[in-house]
């Protein structure tokens, strides 16, 4: 897990700000759920591997003592370990959404469109570019099975990437019914096994997927038939409707797109750029999940943008605007002449802030050279020098740290110089 | 722990937005740390009670199996329980900051001013208005023992409350050395016990604190002497300097202000409003904490604003601006006439978004009355009706949901009507 220093936070907030703004423009509303869920809410939703990767929280106080004494007289070890935890860290944003919708159906609009940008935690072995705490940026539309939902989700995600400056992404779409049909036509009985194998196509290629299918007990002829159909040309009415409504050359049917999760029931989608393996985001329709948490079966479709991956690509390509990439603590630093002039310096700083400038005050009456050197080390573009002469004359001396140029004048004259340079 | 529905998130983000903006204007920079810390980082920093309230995360896989088999052959039960957890949830934002500063001193400016707005978790018994997950909004200045630091921290927190609309808050300040002097003058040997008791003055009154002191083995005469000095008039040079630099009638010395935490070493401060027990925020100077994580002793001073409490008071007093308090999903909803006109409705929605409007599209070709009724239920102020006649004539019909008034015209004419009403 990582600490984010100021420049990292600013880059993340820049991207998150655009994501929020675009999703708000489509009428998606913000939702936040707690980091911690009851352990039963999460268990069994992400497959056996997922169960292992959920961070589990130790019971506390008496509850723990009871479980511990219970478990020591208990033979079944895995049972006793589960008794130690009652809570768990959020593993994704979809299951908490499904819980909220099932619990609070009456407080939410019939067509609930929500976005949610929060961290999730997975007990993966740390690997390059993978973290155990990472942000997901999810958008979901609940309550309608109309194809308008898919079109809006794809268009909104595309708008975000456009706004961030991506000009080479492709949106691949497929449909779970089409995949099922192709699996069944090829003679595959356990389609989920086949989809999990096919989901690795990007990483391991056609031969790799074929071997994976063989290792799952699917014979060579069946695997070959399935692979030739998913890598061929197909058409599917609902996908054609999605493409027509998106009205963008970026959106393409790809019958080999599988997506790993078993809960998808309709259109699935994924966004890729050429220079990075894996996706910038993916999603799909899942009309069965919310029913697992309540009596009512409610249709839903969602998409998750991969914030960490977007940030990596933007960094590598130098896509951040300069004011974000070279972010600084402040627009100007005010110096301190001596202990007696501290109030004057604080007053000047206050005046500068009233002009919407971000202002550092050097905290000590050090030698002036030391103060200016410190300003330089922070990258602040201007220093305001305030000595007894300036105070007496009601002026300040402004030093441009890039050019070395100095201007002396009343505050009203120096404000615009700083403001202009931002 | 709570789910935050859209109107809650918007209120929180409004307050957090102002906090960020003001702290940025003082040159504080954003820092974020992971929700999960190594358990040793947190243990022993918050007292015995704090240790109990830290959420601990169960070890995983092999590590857990090893600890479990080890613990079953182990007599010391509390030892074996600790062996089950290796990670823990963040309990406050100060200890993670101290860890970051000790670890990454060379990457940070000499005078590191940071703000951090993130949730923390405490395994408290849930009580009215107390939550096990809650946000802290911390600001800290590292690296200087100058009184300018205290003055800026107080002034910035006051600016935030001003900007939020609070006009009746008081900033009380005191100094740990002054408290120590008064405790020692009264004949108290364990001053921390006395400060913990005194910290309850707001809640239990002078008599309550006296009884608490007695129960801690301090005799009546000593307790009486201590209490009469902390409730009397005092002066202290460093506090006078803070007050002079803050230059605000809100800032007052209160010799009875104690603050519970044992790590404070200098000025302590707390902000209160009359109609709520407890504080809107508090903090102080802690010159010894960072040294616990590294070789170097580094002076520091910080302040934590209580977001949840600020939100409660603002709600009770109706302090949110109407656009936040009555927040809506969108500025306008576009209807769908039938399946064939969906592309026209999506295009109109797209044009409206280009005018910086937030636009809902009704997702289905339901009866028009049903669509307008749905718009009404969401509180959206305008509906754009688009039928075959409007499409043919290149216009749209705009319905004002409050007045019922309808206007028909080309898109360029209806944009400003919606924009003006925001």
């Amino acid at each position: 897990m990582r600490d984010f220093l100021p420049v990292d936070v600013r880059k993340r907030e820049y991207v998150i700000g655009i994501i929020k703004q675009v999703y708000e423009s489509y009428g998606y509303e913000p939702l936040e759920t707690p980091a911690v869920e009851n352990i039963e809410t999460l268990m069994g939703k992400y497959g056996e591997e997922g169960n292992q990767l959920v961070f589990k929280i130790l019971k506390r106080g008496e509850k723990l003592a009871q479980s511990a004494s219970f478990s020591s007289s208990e033979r079944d070890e895995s049972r006793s370990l589960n008794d130690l935890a009652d809570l768990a860290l959020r593993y994704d944003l979809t299951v908490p959404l499904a819980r909220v919708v099932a619990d609070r159906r009456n407080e939410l609009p019939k067509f609930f469109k929500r976005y949610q940008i929060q961290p999730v935690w997975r007990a993966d072995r740390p690997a390059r570019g993978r973290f155990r705490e990472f942000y997901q940026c999810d958008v979901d539309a609940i309550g309608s099975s109309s194809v308008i939902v898919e079109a809006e989700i794809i268009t909104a995600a595309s708008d975000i990437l456009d706004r961030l400056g991506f000009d080479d992404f492709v949106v691949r779409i497929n449909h779970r019914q089409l995949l099922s049909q192709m699996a069944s036509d090829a003679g595959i009985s356990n389609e989920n096994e086949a989809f999990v194998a096919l989901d690795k196509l990007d990483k391991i290629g056609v031969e790799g997927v074929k071997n994976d299918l063989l290792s799952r007990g699917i014979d060579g002829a069946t695997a070959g038939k399935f692979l030739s159909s998913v890598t061929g040309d197909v058409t599917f009415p609902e996908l054609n409707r999605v493409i027509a409504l998106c009205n963008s050359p970026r959106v393409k049917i790809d019958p080999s797109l599988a997506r790993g999760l078993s809960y998808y029931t309709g259109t699935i989608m994924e966004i890729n750029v050429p220079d990075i393996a894996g996706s910038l985001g993916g999603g799909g329709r899942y009309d069965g999940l919310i029913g697992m948490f309540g009596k009512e079966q409610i249709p839903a479709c969602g998409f998750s943008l991969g914030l960490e991956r977007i940030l990596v690509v933007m960094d590598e390509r130098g896509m951040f605007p300069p004011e974000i990439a070279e972010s600084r603590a402040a627009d100007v630093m005010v110096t301190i002449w001596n202990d007696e002039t501290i109030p004057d310096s604080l007053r000047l700083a206050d005046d500068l802030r009233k002009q919407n400038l971000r202002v550092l005050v050097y905290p000590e009456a050090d030698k002036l050279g030391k103060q200016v050197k410190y300003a330089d080390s922070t990258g602040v573009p201007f220093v305001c020098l305030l000595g007894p002469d300036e105070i007496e004359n009601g002026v300040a001396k402004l030093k441009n740290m890039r050019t070395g140029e100095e201007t002396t004048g009343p505050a009203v004259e120096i404000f615009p110089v700083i403001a202009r340079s931002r």
Side-chain angles (χ1 to χ4, degrees), chain A:
Chain A
M1 309 204 196
R2 295 162 292 172
D3 295 313
F4 296 110
L5 297 189
V7 67
D8 306 317
V9 178
R10 291 208 171 95
K11 284 178 181 173
R12 301 173 75 79
E13 292 199 333
Y14 167 75
V15 173
I16 288 173
I18 287 178
I19 293 173
K20 279 184 183 174
Q21 207 179 339
V22 172
Y23 281 149
E24 291 261 348
S25 80
Y26 281 79
Y28 296 102
E29 297 194 89
L31 178 78
E32 293 186 2
T33 65
V36 174
E37 294 276 350
N38 285 324
I39 201 164
E40 312 89 64
T41 304
L42 304 191
M43 289 296 114
K45 305 302 186 304
Y46 308 108
E48 187 44 46
E49 199 198 2
N51 282 353
Q52 300 294 325
L53 297 182
V54 170
F55 279 109
K56 298 164 191 80
I57 295 176
L58 206 59
K59 290 181 181 175
R60 291 143 314 277
E62 278 183 24
K63 279 169 85 181
L64 178 60
Q66 279 163 14
S67 300
S69 65
F70 171 71
S71 71
S72 63
S73 66
E74 181 74 24
R75 293 294 81 184
D76 180 347
E77 188 166 306
S78 73
R79 164 99 199 275
S80 69
L81 289 181
N82 282 338
D83 283 338
L84 295 172
D86 55 350
L87 302 170
L89 290 182
R90 184 168 57 210
Y91 184 85
D92 73 358
L93 303 179
T94 310
V95 165
L97 170 68
R99 174 186 59 69
V100 170
V101 171
D103 285 359
R104 309 180 71 160
R105 193 71 191 108
N106 297 333
E107 294 171 65
L108 301 173
K110 184 182 170 206
F111 303 114
F112 181 44
K113 297 171 72 173
R114 87 88 174 79
Y115 68 88
Q116 185 171 356
I117 304 173
Q118 289 191 290
V120 301
W121 295 270
R122 295 183 186 176
D124 261 323
R125 257 168 247 283
R128 190 184 163 283
R130 310 266 301 186
F131 302 96
R132 298 196 294 176
E133 172 179 89
F134 59 97
Y135 270 73
Q136 288 196 331
C137 306
D138 277 25
V139 66
D140 292 80
I142 309 291
S144 171
S145 44
S146 160
V147 74
I148 293 179
V149 167
E150 275 86 344
E152 273 200 336
I153 279 177
I154 291 171
T155 309
S158 302
D159 276 4
I160 288 166
L161 295 174
D162 268 339
R163 292 271 298 274
L164 291 172
F166 286 93
D167 55 10
D168 58 349
F169 63 92
V170 175
V171 185
R172 297 182 300 142
I173 64 172
N174 198 6
H175 200 285
R176 272 294 166 97
Q177 283 172 23
L178 176 60
L179 276 171
S180 290
Q181 190 61 48
M182 292 189 292
S184 120
D185 286 352
I188 288 170
S189 53
N190 185 340
E191 61 173 36
N192 271 327
E193 292 270 317
F195 298 165
V196 170
L198 182 58
D199 192 38
K200 303 178 193 162
L201 183 63
D202 278 357
K203 289 177 199 136
I204 60 177
V206 173
E207 276 310 299
V209 174
K210 189 162 184 183
N211 290 332
D212 195 317
L213 289 167
L214 295 178
S215 77
R216 289 166 196 266
I218 293 167
D219 69 71
T222 304
K225 198 170 169 198
F226 178 61
L227 279 170
S228 76
S229 65
V230 300
T231 52
D233 271 341
V234 296
T235 182
F236 195 75
E238 196 169 323
L239 296 180
N240 293 337
R241 292 188 66 206
V242 171
I243 288 178
L245 292 185
C246 289
N247 191 26
S248 157
R250 298 192 183 286
V251 186
K252 296 188 169 84
I253 297 178
D254 179 351
S256 75
L257 176 69
R259 304 286 303 157
L261 290 165
S262 58
Y263 57 57
Y264 289 124
T265 55
T267 299
I268 51 179
M269 42 232 186
E270 192 169 296
I271 301 188
N272 307 81
V273 285
D275 54 347
I276 185 164
S279 70
L280 294 188
R285 176 167 286 283
Y286 54 96
D287 288 345
L289 185 65
I290 296 171
M292 294 174 71
F293 292 94
K295 288 182 290 283
E296 206 185 340
Q297 203 54 271
I298 301 174
C301 182
F303 192 88
S304 184
L305 276 171
L307 179 66
E308 320 295 340
R309 205 163 275 182
I310 288 172
L311 286 162
V312 166
V313 177
M314 290 182 67
D315 250 335
E316 284 177 0
R317 294 183 178 180
M319 288 167 66
F320 289 102
E323 69 274 19
I324 303 295
E326 303 146 20
S327 77
R328 299 173 186 118
D331 303 311
V332 57
M333 188 191 92
V334 176
T335 62
I336 303 287
W337 182 260
N338 63 25
D339 282 350
E340 283 65 48
T341 66
I342 292 175
D344 301 285
S345 287
L346 292 184
R347 212 171 299 124
L348 175 62
D350 198 37
D351 289 341
L352 288 160
R353 279 185 202 109
K354 290 203 177 100
Q355 305 298 315
N356 285 322
L357 295 168
R358 294 173 308 146
V359 187
L360 274 180
V361 175
Y362 193 88
E364 293 170 2
D366 275 337
K367 281 190 186 142
L368 210 55
K370 198 172 166 191
Q371 298 188 42
V372 175
K373 207 173 148 199
Y374 177 75
D376 196 40
S377 78
T378 68
V380 66
F382 289 95
V383 172
C384 246
L385 301 133
L386 198 65
D389 290 352
E390 286 85 10
I391 294 170
E392 205 186 308
N393 297 321
V395 296
K397 191 189 283 178
L398 186 70
K399 185 183 171 78
N400 181 321
M401 295 295 289
R402 204 171 44 239
T403 64
E405 199 184 338
E406 292 186 354
T407 337
T408 299
V412 286
E413 282 177 24
I414 62 177
F415 298 151
V417 179
I418 305 170
R420 261 201 309 277
S421 88
R422 284 197 304 184

